[in-house]
Amino acid sequence: MTLKVCTSLLLLFLVHSVWTRTVRQVYNELDPEHWSHYTFECPQECFCPPSFPNALYCDNKGLKEIPAIPARIWYLYLQNNLIETISEKPFVNATHLRWINLNKNKITNNGIESGVLSKLKRLLYLFLEDNELEEVPAPLPVGLEQLRLARNKISRIPEGVFSNLENLTMLDLHQNNLLDSALQSDTFQGLNSLMQLNIAKNSLKKMPLSIPANTLQLFLDNNSIELIPENYFSSIPKVTFLRLNYNKLSDDGIPPNGFNVSSILDLQLSHNQLTKIPPINAHLEHLHLDHNRIKSVNGTQICPVSIAVAEDYGLYGNIPRLRYLRLDGNEIQPPIPLDIMICFQLLQAVVI
C-alpha cells in the first residue's frame, strides 16, 4: 500500500509540476503592503474583485477590443469575447502583467500589433486557444513559462520563434494544422526548460525532430504517424509520459527495442494497428494497447526479464513495475495467461 501511494504521488507531481512551480513563485511575490500604492480604477466593462486587487475579469462580456489595463493588474482574463486585435495601447500602464487569458476570441496574426507581446516583459502565462491564428505569434516575451495555442489554424512556426524562451515549460499546439514540414530540426531550439510538449491532433506522419532534451511529457495523439525511428528516445532521456494513441503504428513501424526505454512510466498506444505487444522496459508502470489488432498475449515473450527469474525476483526487490495493462478492443480471449501474472507481480488492473 505504501508503494502504491508513493507511486501515485510521484505521477501526480510530474503531471502538475508544469503548473505549480510558477504559480507558487507568483503568489510568493504578492505583497499586500504594496497594494496601497496602486489606484483602484476598474474598466466599466470588467469586474475587479476587492479581495483580489491584482486581477481583472473581462471575460464573457462581448468585448470587441481590449480595455485599458490598470497598472496594478497581474492577472488578466479576457476569454470568451469577440476580440480581433491585440494592440499596444491598452497595455501602456500594464507593466506587471504575469497572466493573460485570451482564449475563445477572434484573434488573427494580422490583428496582433508588431512587437506588442514581447514588450510584456514580466508575462509568464499566455493563453491564446480557440482563436484564428495561422502561425505562432512572434516575437514572444522572453520570460514566458507557458504558451497555449491549441485549437487554432496554425500551419507555420516562424524560424527562431522559440529560440529565446529558455524558461518555457509548457508548449501546447494541439488541434492545429501542422504538417511534418512545419517542424524543422531547429524549431524547438532554445527550449531548454520545456517539460510538456503537446502536438496532438495535427497532421504529422513522422515523429517530430529535435524534441528538447528535458521533455517529460510528449503528446502526439491523433496524428498519422507510422514509424518510430531507431533510437528516437535517446535524445529525450527524461521522457516519462508518451501518448501515441490514434495513429497508424504497425509492428513493422516500431524498432525491436523502440519502447524499451527506462524513463518511460506511462506508454499509450491505443487505437493503432499493432498485432503484438512491443518489447517494454521493466520500469514501465502503465501500458495502454486497447483497440489494436492483437490476437494473443504471451507473457514469456513480453516479460522484460526471464520468466524463470521473475518468480524469484521478489527476493531481490527488483521485479518489473507494470501496474496497469489495457488490452480491450483487441481479439484476445480470456483468461489472462498465468505467465503474465508471474512476470508482472505488481499488476493491479488488467482490462481485456
Side-chain angles (χ1 to χ4, degrees):
M1 177 61 71
T2 301
L3 179 58
K4 178 179 178 181
V5 172
C6 291
T7 301
S8 299
L9 290 174
L10 172 61
L11 293 175
L12 183 63
F13 169 76
L14 289 171
V15 171
H16 292 287
S17 58
V18 174
W19 283 95
T20 56
R21 186 182 68 176
T22 303
V23 171
R24 189 182 305 113
Q25 291 173 347
V26 168
Y27 276 91
N28 286 343
E29 291 180 20
L30 286 171
D31 186 353
E33 293 182 2
H34 294 161
W35 293 348
S36 60
H37 297 298
Y38 296 119
T39 57
F40 282 79
E41 74 277 9
C42 184
Q44 63 178 3
E45 311 95 325
C46 307
F47 171 62
C48 301
S51 61
F52 195 9
N54 293 95
L56 181 62
Y57 290 86
C58 309
D59 52 308
N60 297 288
K61 302 294 185 181
L63 300 180
K64 294 184 178 181
E65 297 180 349
I66 298 174
I69 310 303
R72 71 178 188 276
I73 299 303
W74 288 27
Y75 306 94
L76 178 58
Y77 299 89
L78 287 161
Q79 66 270 26
N80 293 301
N81 281 294
L82 303 171
I83 297 169
E84 298 181 357
T85 61
I86 304 176
S87 61
E88 184 175 347
K89 184 178 178 180
F91 299 103
V92 169
N93 297 319
T95 57
H96 295 277
L97 276 174
R98 265 63 166 179
W99 175 303
I100 298 178
N101 189 334
L102 276 159
N103 292 346
K104 295 187 177 180
N105 278 283
K106 296 180 179 297
I107 298 167
T108 64
N109 289 94
N110 290 335
I112 301 176
E113 186 175 332
S114 178
V116 62
L117 296 176
S118 63
K119 292 178 181 178
L120 302 173
K121 302 295 185 181
R122 300 189 182 187
L123 196 66
L124 302 177
Y125 295 80
L126 178 58
F127 299 169
L128 282 165
E129 298 179 341
D130 296 285
N131 277 279
E132 298 178 13
L133 300 173
E134 295 183 353
E135 63 180 54
V136 175
L140 292 163
V142 296
L144 209 59
E145 295 193 4
Q146 286 194 22
L147 178 60
R148 291 175 170 261
L149 298 169
R151 295 178 298 278
N152 276 275
K153 303 173 183 178
I154 296 173
S155 61
R156 182 174 177 271
I157 301 177
E159 184 177 357
V161 67
F162 303 129
S163 60
N164 294 321
L165 303 187
E166 295 185 358
N167 296 325
L168 197 73
T169 58
M170 174 188 283
L171 176 58
D172 191 344
L173 288 163
H174 88 269
Q175 200 166 331
N176 277 285
N177 299 326
L178 292 171
L179 300 171
D180 296 316
S181 57
L183 305 180
Q184 300 299 313
S185 59
D186 59 351
T187 295
F188 302 113
Q189 185 175 346
L191 297 180
N192 299 325
S193 300
L194 196 69
M195 298 171 65
Q196 184 184 106
L197 178 59
N198 191 341
I199 326 179
K201 294 188 177 182
N202 278 279
S203 300
L204 304 181
K205 294 183 178 181
K206 300 178 181 178
M207 295 292 285
L209 302 171
S210 301
I211 300 297
N214 287 319
T215 302
L216 295 175
Q217 303 171 12
L218 179 58
F219 304 147
L220 293 164
D221 314 78
N222 292 89
N223 280 285
S224 299
I225 297 171
E226 300 178 354
L227 176 69
I228 307 293
E230 191 82 35
N231 299 319
Y232 180 83
F233 299 104
S234 62
S235 61
I236 41 176
K238 298 181 181 180
V239 63
T240 305
F241 296 86
L242 177 62
R243 294 199 329 222
L244 280 159
N245 303 318
Y246 291 94
N247 276 282
K248 297 182 179 180
L249 289 171
S250 64
D251 302 327
D252 293 337
I254 300 175
N257 284 295
F259 295 120
N260 187 359
V261 180
S262 61
S263 65
I264 298 178
L265 301 181
D266 191 297
L267 176 59
Q268 300 190 20
L269 298 169
S270 303
H271 293 271
N272 278 278
Q273 300 170 12
L274 303 174
T275 64
K276 59 184 179 182
I277 299 177
I280 58 174
N281 193 271
H283 290 89
L284 187 67
E285 296 186 5
H286 295 81
L287 178 59
H288 298 246
L289 285 165
D290 55 286
H291 298 90
N292 277 274
R293 301 174 181 176
I294 301 170
K295 295 183 178 181
S296 62
V297 182
N298 188 317
T300 302
Q301 292 179 354
I302 69 171
C303 190
V305 299
S306 168
I307 283 288
V309 176
E311 292 184 87
D312 298 325
Y313 246 41
L315 299 175
Y316 304 99
N318 194 27
I319 58 178
R321 300 178 186 175
L322 193 67
R323 288 167 168 77
Y324 180 87
L325 176 60
R326 184 170 177 182
L327 291 167
D328 56 305
N330 285 283
E331 301 176 31
I332 303 168
Q333 300 296 322
I336 299 167
L338 178 62
D339 50 6
I340 292 285
M341 309 309 296
I342 293 174
C343 174
F344 301 109
Q345 298 177 27
L346 298 180
L347 263 178
Q348 298 173 356
V350 181
V351 183
I352 192 169

